[in-house]
Amino acid sequence: MSRVCQVTGKRPVTGNNVSHSKRRTKRRFLPNLHWHRFWVEGENRYIRIRVSSKGIRIIDKKGIENSSY
């Protein structure tokens, strides 16, 4: 299962851990993803999508039909 938000398209990005001695090692920054159920009025059923916290806020503001999932 890939770690991609189905609304915003956010995915992991890479960066560095930097120690006190400035030695750098690779690391990943993962998006804040959740499985969430949304009621779709047009289909009269729930859908379950993997969405980031920002994606949940977008759906709350615009509605599930207007956001691209």
Side-chain angles (χ1 to χ4, degrees):
M1 179 59 64
S2 62
R3 297 175 191 260
V4 179
C5 175
Q6 294 177 331
V7 175
T8 61
K10 288 185 177 211
R11 46 182 59 242
V13 294
T14 58
N16 289 312
N17 279 327
V18 182
S19 69
H20 182 69
S21 64
K22 306 296 191 284
R23 183 179 171 90
R24 287 164 169 81
T25 56
K26 283 297 201 182
R27 63 164 292 183
R28 293 175 76 198
F29 293 94
L30 301 177
N32 188 11
L33 295 180
H34 309 277
W35 283 106
H36 199 281
R37 274 189 345 158
F38 292 100
W39 177 256
V40 180
E41 193 65 38
E43 298 179 13
N44 201 24
R45 69 182 182 100
Y46 283 101
I47 61 165
R48 186 170 170 252
I49 59 174
R50 195 164 195 198
V51 63
S52 65
S53 296
K54 185 173 181 177
I56 292 173
R57 293 179 64 204
I58 289 171
I59 291 172
D60 287 343
K61 184 175 182 178
K62 295 184 175 180
I64 191 72
E65 284 87 12
N66 296 334
S67 57
S68 59
Y69 62 90

